[in-house]
Amino acid sequence: MNHETKAIKTLLLLFIVSIFTAAFSGCSTPRHPEALKTAQEAMPPCDGAPLPELPDVTLTSVTDETQPVPHCKVAGVIGPEIHFELLLPANWNGKFVMGGGGGFVGSVMNTSLMFGALRAGYATVGTDTGHQGHPLDGSWAYNNLERLVNFGHQAVHRTAVTAKALTKAYYQKEIDRSYFTGCSRGGGQAFMEAQRYPEDFDGIVSGAPAYNWTALAALTSQINQAMYPDPDNLQEAVVGPKEQELIESSYLEMCDELDGIKDGIVNDPRQCAFDVATLLCKGEKTEKCLSADQLAAVKVIYDGPKDSKGNPLFYGFPFGGETALGGWPRWLTGGLNYQEDLAGFQGGVAAGDFKQPLTPSAFYAFGNGIMKYFIYNDPDWSYVNYDYDTLTEDSKRIGETLNSTSPDLSAFRKRGGKLIIYSGWSDAAVPADAVIGYYEDVLTHDKTAAEDVRLFMMPGTEHCFGGPGPSWVNWLDEIDKWVETGTAPDQVAAYWLDENMQPEGSRLLCAYPQVAEYDTEGGTRDVSSFGCGGDK
């Protein structure tokens, strides 16, 4: 596939997401139609909005907007550089939702808009987390602890408190419910809110959470070492497209039909017993085998990072996403010969006008950014000959600010908080097993947490969205239903999208550890053909 075709497909995917959310979810029937009928009549015009003066908050603009629905847009700055944008719809449903960001953030991001939040009547806000820059560029953190603290947790909290105060003043009414939705970095922000600021939200959705930044530093950097042993040669990774296709086709041949369906999707990759070492060349290197260097590089991906003594530092990736545009090629392998633009590395995350750093993959940018500017505060740091033996100790201080790894959700749960976690099995950015590992840590800490926390694993889904599996769920609707009714979701429907941005088939997602089981008779793209089976 050439560069132009890849770029078109990336832009098309993001376009599909934005249009689909507007057509399919944002226009759904509001839960409080009687409130929406009178809200617009009762609202003052935006220019006369009764917005209070708040300590350490400067409002930079207040403007009337008409698209996608009439709303008042309030832009401001908290402290010296935490920018935010608050959208206040004319037809308010009485609720508030904050949307998270992605990557290193760097501009105001609000991924709740992907779920049609504004169209559904939510007051909604996003933030840049206290710095400006490309979401793949971490240099803003160099010698700036305040920015790291803002990025780690403070900016989201301060934005939430500020935005809710402005929302209540604008509508002159208390907020009925407050939610947070985020994926990737936003998923980590979601965890941080539940753990550190349990009073901020009634319901939280955390997708593909980047919650352990110091462990991700080990994972990203060690993969970079394996794929680009010479950092001056970024044209092609040690493992290229042909090897990735060989690996994927090999394990699919063995495991694709374990769930009774031949569709290029492994329902639970942990059940696949394929050993990638069987692909090692017995003699001369050909397209049908892996060289010793290539096998070693691949095993870093599947086995996870280790120190020089072989001690594990984090989870590896399961099978999945080896050839997909949003999988290995974008995140782990790449190569300047194969991709020139990573602007669409995560759905819903825009790069704005900021210059992208020279990088062959998203992991190359993240790994170097975290190590150079978060942990070692040294722009000249290099992964060449780095052995990871002191990384845990070296990163301990910054981990206290960045990591949201605590399994104790008792304060959040005590006030009635509900948490939905979701992740794709084919996610090439955050290992699926790491997400499962956190959830299991929560239950180990307190088994009753299962009453208020649900995890949904999504077969064939890439990072946050996309992939061969059905990846569309309106998670904002799901958390709202749970909080409003008190009934925990044990299963939800996930959808494929067609070229017209409409649902094109569906399958069942089951609350972990249950998995969807096919009845062997119905349509394989019909949610009614599946049920939630025993623990796997």
Side-chain angles (χ1 to χ4, degrees):
M1 186 182 296
N2 60 36
H3 301 323
E4 183 179 18
T5 302
K6 284 187 175 182
I8 291 173
K9 282 183 173 288
T10 299
L11 292 173
L12 179 60
L13 173 62
L14 297 178
F15 178 74
I16 287 174
V17 173
S18 62
I19 299 300
F20 178 75
T21 54
F24 184 54
S25 64
C27 296
S28 58
T29 302
R31 302 204 186 283
H32 299 291
E34 67 284 353
L36 299 188
K37 290 177 182 177
T38 60
Q40 190 168 13
E41 297 175 355
M43 280 303 306
C46 189
D47 289 341
L51 297 175
E53 292 186 8
L54 299 175
D56 208 25
V57 177
T58 302
L59 300 186
T60 56
S61 66
V62 180
T63 58
D64 283 303
E65 306 290 340
T66 59
Q67 298 299 323
V69 294
H71 66 279
C72 184
K73 177 180 176 181
V74 181
V77 183
I78 304 167
E81 54 182 353
I82 301 173
H83 294 82
F84 70 91
E85 290 180 1
L86 171 63
L87 310 180
L88 300 162
N91 286 339
W92 186 42
N93 66 5
K95 301 175 186 180
F96 171 87
V97 59
M98 182 170 185
F104 290 129
V105 198
S107 57
V108 173
M109 297 182 186
N110 181 351
T111 53
S112 78
L113 298 175
M114 294 181 67
F115 299 123
L118 190 60
R119 286 181 178 271
Y122 286 89
T124 182
V125 72
T127 179
D128 66 357
T129 67
H131 65 273
Q132 293 280 299
H134 192 284
L136 288 172
D137 183 2
S139 62
W140 52 267
Y142 181 53
N143 278 333
N144 198 316
L145 183 58
E146 182 176 3
R147 286 182 176 177
L148 276 171
V149 173
N150 282 336
F151 176 76
H153 58 86
Q154 189 167 257
V156 170
H157 170 63
R158 294 190 69 184
T159 298
V161 171
T162 298
K164 288 198 291 184
L166 292 172
T167 298
K168 288 188 286 186
Y170 180 75
Y171 294 110
Q172 301 183 49
K173 180 181 178 297
E174 290 294 320
I175 297 170
D176 294 333
R177 304 287 189 187
S178 293
Y179 303 127
F180 183 95
T181 70
C183 193
S184 191
R185 172 58 191 147
Q189 292 169 339
F191 277 9
M192 190 68 82
E193 280 293 310
Q195 296 167 21
R196 192 182 285 255
Y197 302 107
E199 300 289 332
D200 283 354
F201 300 105
D202 303 305
I204 292 175
V205 176
S206 174
Y211 67 94
N212 190 334
W213 282 77
T214 54
L216 281 172
L219 177 66
T220 53
S221 294
Q222 205 158 110
I223 289 175
N224 291 338
Q225 279 181 326
M227 294 299 162
Y228 296 96
D230 178 2
D232 293 324
N233 181 7
L234 305 179
Q235 301 308 308
E236 295 186 20
V238 168
V239 178
K242 292 180 180 179
E243 289 80 21
Q244 291 161 211
E245 184 175 354
L246 171 65
I247 294 167
E248 185 175 87
S249 62
S250 298
Y251 74 71
L252 284 177
E253 184 177 359
M254 175 183 288
C255 302
D256 188 0
E257 295 184 77
L258 290 177
D259 57 359
I261 306 171
K262 187 174 183 179
D263 56 0
I265 302 171
V266 179
N267 208 32
D268 183 343
R270 296 174 302 179
Q271 306 305 310
C272 181
F274 178 75
D275 183 358
V276 71
T278 60
L279 298 177
L280 179 65
C281 297
K282 303 300 189 291
E284 185 177 344
K285 173 72 172 79
T286 71
E287 293 184 0
K288 299 297 183 181
C289 64
L290 303 176
S291 69
D293 287 345
Q294 289 172 334
L295 177 60
V298 166
K299 287 181 73 65
V300 172
I301 293 177
Y302 291 134
D303 295 346
K306 296 177 173 61
D307 64 19
S308 65
K309 301 177 181 64
N311 299 311
L313 299 173
F314 199 46
Y315 299 86
F317 290 93
F319 293 125
E322 288 81 4
T323 64
L325 176 62
W328 284 26
R330 178 176 298 166
W331 289 94
L332 310 179
T333 54
L336 298 181
N337 286 346
Y338 298 103
Q339 58 186 11
E340 298 174 351
D341 186 7
L342 283 166
F345 70 93
Q346 180 188 327
V349 174
D353 296 326
F354 299 107
K355 183 179 179 181
Q356 177 183 299
L358 181 68
T359 181
S361 68
F363 260 31
Y364 194 88
F366 285 126
N368 284 301
I370 298 169
M371 287 292 207
K372 288 182 177 183
Y373 305 113
F374 288 25
I375 296 175
Y376 290 111
N377 208 38
D378 178 8
D380 295 323
W381 178 90
S382 173
Y383 58 68
V384 176
N385 299 322
Y386 185 77
D387 63 15
Y388 302 88
D389 289 348
T390 64
L391 177 60
T392 299
E393 184 63 30
D394 294 345
S395 62
K396 185 178 296 184
R397 177 185 64 85
I398 202 65
E400 294 175 356
T401 296
L402 296 177
N403 294 345
S404 49
T405 54
S406 172
D408 185 0
L409 302 177
S410 57
F412 178 65
R413 295 179 56 222
K414 185 176 181 179
R415 59 178 300 273
K418 308 299 181 185
L419 172 63
I420 291 177
I421 307 169
Y422 68 93
S423 185
W425 271 118
S426 295
D427 190 334
V430 177
D433 286 331
V435 181
I436 293 173
Y438 174 78
Y439 177 74
E440 291 179 339
D441 286 346
V442 169
L443 299 191
T444 298
H445 179 79
D446 182 352
K447 64 181 180 181
T448 69
E451 299 169 4
D452 302 306
V453 183
R454 285 287 188 274
L455 169 63
F456 292 89
M457 299 303 299
M458 307 178 71
T461 294
E462 297 166 0
H463 188 57
C464 297
F465 185 85
S471 62
W472 172 254
V473 178
N474 192 318
W475 294 110
L476 178 55
D477 274 359
E478 295 300 330
I479 194 66
D480 183 43
K481 284 187 287 186
W482 188 1
V483 171
E484 289 286 5
T485 66
T487 302
D490 290 323
Q491 52 185 250
V492 299
Y495 297 87
W496 282 277
L497 310 182
D498 65 14
E499 64 276 6
N500 296 314
M501 294 73 76
Q502 295 298 313
E504 184 187 45
S506 58
R507 280 192 188 165
L508 194 65
L509 300 180
C510 303
Y512 185 87
Q514 290 197 317
V515 296
E517 295 184 342
Y518 178 50
D519 66 10
T520 72
E521 295 181 359
T524 60
R525 288 195 170 210
D526 183 344
V527 68
S528 66
S529 302
F530 297 81
C532 290
D535 301 355
K536 298 295 183 181

